[in-house]
Amino acid sequence: GVHFDYIRYPGTQYSYDDSSLARFYSSSGNPDNLTWPNWQRQQINQFVETFYDSAMILNPRLKVSAAVIGRYNLPPWNAFYDVFQDPYQWALDGVIDMIIPMIYWPIGAPYPFEQYLNQWVNQYSAGRFVYAGLGTYKNEDDYDEVYNEISVARGIQAEGHVHFRYDNLVTNTGFIWNLKSSLYAHPANQPSMPWKDDVPPPGVDSLTLEPNETYHYAILRWPVMHDTASDGESAARYNVYRSVDESLNIMNPNHLIFITPRPDTAYYDLDFQAGHTYQYAVTGLDQLQNEGPASPILTYTYTGINPETGLPQVLTLLPAFPNPFNAAVTLTIEVPAARRGDLQIFDLRGRLVKELFTGELAAGKMSFQWQGDVENNTRAASGIYLAVLRADGKTIMQKLTLLK
C-alpha cells in the first residue's frame, strides 16, 4: 500500500510562487477559469487521480490511503477551505481506498470526536473506507478516552481506526495490556474492497483434529487448497474459528481465534482443557480479504475423566473466570488423586501477592476465589498477574488480568 500523510497545502496563504501564478493565469493551466481556492484544490485532486490511476496499472491490488484534516468543511480549521484538501471528491472519483481523518479532539464539546467521525462515515465516504484517526499521543495516560473513541468508531461503523502513534500505544504497558484484554481481545479481518476484487477463494473441504489430552493441546489440520477461484486466486491465509460449549457461528467475532500469516494448513490450540466441547471451522482469505465459504464444522468433546474412577485424569488448572475481572476471579483445579499443593498469585516481577491455598488437595474439583487483594487485604493495582499452581513437582501457570 501507499499512504499519504501531508497531501495538502499548509494554509490559504500558499502557494503564490511564480510558477503557480503563471499556470493559474494561463488558459492551458486554468482552462475552466477557476477561482484561486478551487484551482488550488484541483491541483491536489489531479495529483491524487493521476497517481491512483497510474498505480493501479502497475498493481491493481495496491491500497491507497490518506491522513486528512479531521474536519471536512466545518470551522474553525478544516480540510476543504483552509488547506484545499477534498477527500470526499477523491472518494467520489474512486481514486482513494481509505480516508483517515485525524480527529484529534476528545469526545464532547467544543469539537466533538463523535460528530466529525459520523459526518465522515455517513456523508463524505462515498462508498470508500473511513478509518478513524485517534490522537493517542494526546491520551496515552487517559485509557478511558482512547477506549471510548474506539467504541464510538465501532458504533458508528467506521471500517477501523488508526492510532497516532505506535510509540504512544505501546510504551505504556498497562495501556496496551488493557486493550489486548478488552477491545483487542480477538483478531479481526481487514474489510475486503469489492471495487478491487469481489471474488472469494474456494472453501476448505475438511478438517481433522489431533488431540493430546496428556499435555492439553490439539492440532487442527486441513488440506492444501489446490483449487482456484474464477479470478485465478487461491487462499493467501486462513481464518480459524472456535467455540467452547456453544454452537459455532462464523458471524460471531468472538469465535475468530486466529488468522494464519501465510497459507498454512494447521493450527495449534494450546488452550485445550478438559470438561469442554469444542467446535472448529476454517475459511480461506484471498489477498484482498475476500472470505471463502466455511469448512464443515468439526466437534470434539474433551471429558478429561477417567472412565474407571470417574475422576480427572491429570492435574489441571482450568481457565479462570471471568478473565479479565474486576471484583473477583474463580480458579478451579481438577485433581486426579489427593496430594499436597499450593495456589498462589504473583505479579510479573515474581513477587508474591496472595496465597489462596496451601495444604491437601482433595481428589475431584476444587475452586478458589481471588478478590484482587494482596496479603494485607488492600486492593491490588490493575494489571497482569500470574496464578501459579504447584503440586507433585509440577508447576502450572495462568495469566490473570485485573481491571479497575
Side-chain angles (χ1 to χ4, degrees):
V2 172
H3 176 68
F4 290 110
D5 182 54
Y6 201 95
I7 188 163
R8 61 179 178 86
Y9 288 96
T12 55
Q13 68 273 30
Y14 297 88
S15 157
Y16 293 95
D17 57 274
D18 292 342
S19 177
S20 295
L21 290 171
R23 292 182 60 245
F24 173 71
Y25 286 114
S26 71
S27 58
S28 59
N30 188 6
D32 299 323
N33 198 29
L34 298 174
T35 63
W36 178 254
N38 288 334
W39 185 81
Q40 291 274 76
R41 204 173 293 114
Q42 185 190 62
Q43 306 312 296
I44 300 177
N45 292 350
Q46 287 177 341
F47 168 78
V48 174
E49 180 178 358
T50 301
F51 172 84
Y52 191 91
D53 291 345
S54 302
M56 291 308 104
I57 294 172
L58 294 173
N59 182 359
R61 294 189 180 93
L62 190 77
K63 298 176 182 179
V64 180
S65 62
V68 301
I69 302 303
R71 283 184 289 258
Y72 175 60
N73 59 5
L74 296 176
W77 191 65
N78 61 70
F80 189 85
Y81 293 112
D82 292 298
V83 295
F84 306 130
Q85 187 180 63
D86 194 357
Y88 179 43
Q89 189 62 52
W90 310 340
L92 287 171
D93 293 339
V95 295
I96 196 75
D97 298 315
M98 294 176 282
I99 300 169
I100 306 171
M102 299 177 285
I103 312 175
Y104 296 166
W105 303 284
I107 294 171
Y111 307 122
F113 170 90
E114 66 277 19
Q115 175 188 333
Y116 299 138
L117 181 59
N118 185 66
Q119 289 175 331
W120 282 108
V121 171
N122 293 302
Q123 296 180 39
Y124 303 126
S125 63
R128 295 299 166 102
F129 291 164
V130 172
Y131 283 70
L134 310 184
T136 308
Y137 75 104
K138 289 184 172 182
N139 299 299
E140 62 178 324
D141 295 322
D142 188 357
Y143 170 77
D144 289 340
E145 176 63 30
V146 176
Y147 183 101
N148 291 335
E149 287 180 10
I150 296 172
S151 299
V152 166
R154 291 179 177 179
I156 293 175
Q157 297 187 327
E159 277 73 23
H161 56 273
V162 175
H163 292 276
F164 184 76
R165 61 189 183 263
Y166 180 79
D167 255 5
N168 303 97
L169 184 66
V170 299
T171 50
N172 185 332
T173 54
F175 191 13
I176 191 64
W177 276 111
N178 274 330
L179 285 174
K180 287 183 69 172
S181 61
S182 54
L183 292 176
Y184 291 174
H186 303 281
N189 292 140
Q190 300 173 36
S192 61
M193 295 181 172
W195 57 88
K196 291 181 179 290
D197 175 14
D198 62 356
V199 180
V204 175
D205 294 332
S206 60
L207 301 176
T208 58
L209 190 72
E210 302 170 10
N212 187 317
E213 296 191 0
T214 302
Y215 294 102
H216 304 293
Y217 72 88
I219 306 174
L220 181 70
R221 299 187 187 275
W222 54 95
V224 175
M225 185 180 291
H226 296 291
D227 296 336
T228 59
S230 60
D231 60 358
E233 283 195 70
S234 187
R237 58 190 64 83
Y238 292 93
N239 282 334
V240 179
Y241 295 91
R242 186 192 71 168
S243 67
V244 183
D245 299 329
E246 64 178 349
S247 297
L248 180 68
N249 179 4
I250 67 169
M251 300 305 293
N252 182 344
N254 296 334
H255 288 175
L256 177 61
I257 59 167
F258 188 69
I259 305 168
T260 68
R262 296 171 297 275
D264 302 323
T265 56
Y267 168 70
Y268 286 73
D269 190 351
L270 303 181
D271 186 15
F272 190 68
Q273 303 292 335
H276 297 288
T277 295
Y278 296 89
Q279 289 192 331
Y280 299 90
V282 173
T283 62
L285 293 166
D286 67 13
Q287 289 190 359
L288 279 171
Q289 303 290 314
N290 292 297
E291 184 175 20
S295 69
I297 293 176
L298 185 152
T299 302
Y300 184 85
T301 299
Y302 177 10
T303 63
I305 301 299
N306 186 320
E308 295 180 0
T309 65
L311 292 171
Q313 291 182 327
V314 293
L315 181 69
T316 303
L317 177 59
L318 296 179
F321 181 83
N323 191 23
F325 73 100
N326 174 262
V329 60
T330 298
L331 298 159
T332 300
I333 304 171
E334 290 186 339
V335 186
R339 67 197 68 193
R340 284 195 62 80
D342 55 67
L343 179 62
Q344 298 168 312
I345 307 297
F346 291 87
D347 64 19
L348 292 181
R349 295 183 179 179
R351 297 175 298 190
L352 178 64
V353 175
K354 184 77 173 182
E355 186 168 66
L356 298 182
F357 177 83
T358 184
E360 188 80 6
L361 293 169
K365 282 189 178 182
M366 299 181 69
S367 293
F368 305 90
Q369 267 201 346
W370 180 42
Q371 297 180 341
D373 57 334
V374 298
E375 284 296 342
N376 60 7
N377 294 322
T378 59
R379 182 74 171 173
S382 61
I384 307 300
Y385 294 87
L386 295 176
V388 179
L389 170 64
R390 296 189 181 95
D392 290 348
K394 182 178 182 180
T395 300
I396 303 174
M397 292 188 292
Q398 189 174 139
K399 185 175 69 177
L400 306 175
T401 303
L402 173 60
L403 302 178
K404 290 183 179 179

